[in-house]
Amino acid sequence: MNISDLLGFSVKNKASDLHLSSDLPLIIGMNGDVRKINLSALEHAQLHAMVYDITNDGQRKTFEEMSDAPVTIYF
């Protein structure tokens, strides 16, 4: 699983947002509700790599400063 797969799944399912947190279920927002994705939770290293794949240096710095916060991607 990679970030492109998760983003593609989210778009295909008309999600408004994707919520990623280490060791917690993956969640998408749909029509004002949140729904768990039936996939294994991401380990910290996996989430870290995914975030680094789609961010620039400034965003990475912010991510590192807030490393305990969940990541939410809005569409």
Side-chain angles (χ1 to χ4, degrees):
M1 161 180 29
N2 62 44
I3 193 66
S4 295
D5 295 334
L6 290 173
L7 293 171
F9 175 85
S10 299
V11 170
K12 180 181 174 184
N13 286 281
K14 299 180 180 172
S16 58
D17 43 274
L18 172 64
H19 304 264
L20 306 173
S21 295
S22 298
D23 303 319
L24 293 173
L26 287 73
I27 296 173
I28 55 175
M30 296 178 64
N31 300 320
D33 292 326
V34 292
R35 298 183 183 173
K36 292 180 186 176
I37 299 174
N38 192 20
L39 294 172
S40 299
L42 299 172
E43 295 178 5
H44 177 77
Q46 290 174 296
L47 178 59
H48 192 270
M50 286 182 179
V51 168
Y52 267 57
D53 281 348
I54 61 170
T55 56
N56 62 38
D57 290 339
Q59 292 166 323
R60 290 177 187 143
K61 182 179 180 210
T62 300
F63 175 69
E64 293 298 331
E65 291 169 354
M66 301 178 67
S67 63
D68 292 335
V71 176
T72 303
I73 301 168
Y74 297 99
F75 301 100

